[in-house]
Amino acid sequence: PMMSDLLNLKIVKNNPKSLCVLFYHCDTSFTHAIKNIVENSIITLAADTIMIFENTSNFNDEFIAHRIGLIPLISNTLYEACNWEKNPKIVFDINKFCKNNSSCFVSTKDYRCNAFRNRVTPIGYSYYDKINQENKFNLVNYSHILILKLKQSQVLSMKITLKKGKGSDHTKWCSNYGNILFPIPTIRWNLIMLLMMDKMNTSYLCDTLLDIVNITNIHHNQILNSHMIENLQNSSIHSLFEFLKSTKIVKFGGLQKTFFKFESNGSLLPKYILIFSMEALVKRLDCFVKTLS
């Protein structure tokens, strides 16, 4: 199918961790190009050079450097500050001495930075903890990530220099945890097959599908599409549609909509990831056209 002159999109869900988008009247090659940019070409900040001055912990220097290098850093300032290129290099210092009688922890709380302290920081994390004897879970928020543990009198002193990069260079610059790209076809119910199933009446699935079709004043295409969007993160939806295709219960037409969901690891807001990916794609197309001309 040809892409329409006017590309439309709808934000289905938007929060600090993920973004769900519906693209209308566009070829799948366009959405796959955006998906590729989201995975590999989004620019973020990460630790590039780590100088360890003193390390008397039980972990070697390479292990600590690798662990610190993979901690995501909040990089929204890259897309908010217009004069970023003129700014000096960002350097974090960690100087930790364990004075306690037992032990102490080194975490991202111990990062020290003179410049951009409130604009470039390590991400935090959260998890769900069970509440007492009830079957309820409470969201527990932690603002710091554990790096290592020091014993009494042990020391860790280092300097971390940040650098801009993209996911195709190294995974430490990757801002995308995962994504789903799913073309949504035009769906038409096969009434002949449904009538045959009505005569057979041998399975619960048949009864369920027939009940849906018999509902009045509701567009069947909207029912199935809304069910897809709600359950796209579950792989069972793919199995369902493979079954529907094989049994000819529904007929699939041309691709009119594409559902795209991606999750951020916290280094960038999802809206910045989407905006930059579309801008980068337009720039690449412009360069390609100029090269041909």
Side-chain angles (χ1 to χ4, degrees):
M2 298 298 293
M3 188 162 60
S4 173
D5 293 336
L6 182 60
L7 173 66
N8 295 322
L9 62 87
K10 179 181 178 182
I11 305 298
V12 180
K13 182 180 179 182
N14 182 21
N15 58 52
K17 293 184 178 180
S18 64
L19 183 69
C20 299
V21 188
L22 269 177
F23 291 96
Y24 294 89
H25 307 294
C26 69
D27 191 80
T28 52
S29 60
F30 178 83
T31 51
H32 275 285
I34 293 179
K35 174 177 177 288
N36 182 62
I37 294 175
V38 167
E39 292 175 344
N40 303 308
S41 302
I42 302 297
I43 297 175
T44 61
L45 289 166
D48 182 59
T49 304
I50 299 177
M51 297 179 62
I52 300 179
F53 304 111
E54 187 175 5
N55 174 27
T56 59
S57 70
N58 295 342
F59 301 96
N60 58 51
D61 294 351
E62 290 76 11
F63 173 86
I64 298 174
H66 185 268
R67 185 170 178 82
I68 290 177
L70 292 178
I71 295 177
L73 301 169
I74 297 176
S75 307
N76 293 319
T77 186
L78 289 175
Y79 301 89
E80 296 170 349
C82 59
N83 61 342
W84 179 261
E85 296 291 343
K86 299 179 182 179
N87 293 331
K89 289 184 178 180
I90 299 179
V91 178
F92 286 108
D93 292 311
I94 295 179
N95 296 291
K96 189 79 172 184
F97 173 67
C98 186
K99 299 179 182 179
N100 299 335
N101 294 329
S102 54
S103 61
C104 62
F105 296 102
V106 179
S107 69
T108 52
K109 180 182 180 180
D110 299 301
Y111 278 42
R112 295 291 180 266
C113 180
N114 294 329
F116 308 102
R117 177 58 183 163
N118 297 324
R119 293 168 58 186
V120 180
T121 58
I123 67 166
Y125 72 95
S126 60
Y127 73 96
Y128 285 90
D129 188 21
K130 195 170 183 180
I131 301 177
N132 298 329
Q133 299 177 352
E134 300 180 3
N135 292 325
K136 295 182 179 180
F137 291 85
N138 183 32
L139 180 62
V140 181
N141 290 296
Y142 284 83
S143 58
H144 310 294
I145 296 177
L146 176 65
I147 298 173
L148 55 87
K149 184 177 181 180
L150 295 177
K151 294 181 179 180
Q152 184 180 5
S153 301
Q154 288 186 340
V155 180
L156 180 65
S157 176
M158 63 172 62
K159 179 176 288 187
I160 307 165
T161 304
L162 308 187
K163 182 181 177 181
K164 293 191 294 185
K166 52 188 178 180
S168 58
D169 299 329
H170 194 280
T171 188
K172 65 183 179 182
W173 282 298
C174 184
S175 61
N176 177 233
Y177 263 163
N179 57 69
I180 299 173
L181 182 64
F182 193 91
I184 302 178
T186 303
I187 302 169
R188 296 181 178 87
W189 294 89
N190 190 337
L191 296 180
I192 297 177
M193 286 298 299
L194 290 171
L195 288 173
M196 292 176 60
M197 291 168 60
D198 189 21
K199 297 295 182 183
M200 296 169 58
N201 197 20
T202 57
S203 70
Y204 173 75
L205 177 60
C206 298
D207 295 337
T208 304
L209 289 172
L210 287 170
D211 288 340
I212 294 175
V213 174
N214 289 329
I215 296 175
T216 57
N217 300 326
I218 295 181
H219 197 282
H220 303 145
N221 189 37
Q222 292 179 353
I223 295 174
L224 202 51
N225 279 345
S226 62
H227 180 68
M228 283 177 58
I229 293 173
E230 292 173 359
N231 297 277
L232 273 174
Q233 56 192 1
N234 190 342
S235 60
S236 62
I237 191 67
H238 299 281
S239 302
L240 171 62
F241 271 82
E242 287 300 321
F243 171 78
L244 294 177
K245 287 171 62 178
S246 62
T247 55
K248 313 272 186 213
I249 295 174
V250 294
K251 296 179 180 179
F252 295 89
L255 303 178
Q256 298 295 326
K257 291 182 288 186
T258 303
F259 178 84
F260 183 38
K261 176 183 178 180
F262 60 90
E263 296 182 354
S264 170
N265 63 1
S267 59
L268 285 176
L269 291 173
K271 66 177 183 179
Y272 290 148
I273 297 177
L274 179 63
I275 293 172
F276 175 81
S277 61
M278 298 189 73
E279 289 179 348
L281 179 58
V282 171
K283 290 179 182 179
R284 292 180 184 183
L285 292 174
D286 287 341
C287 291
F288 179 71
V289 171
K290 290 179 181 179
T291 303
L292 290 179
S293 59

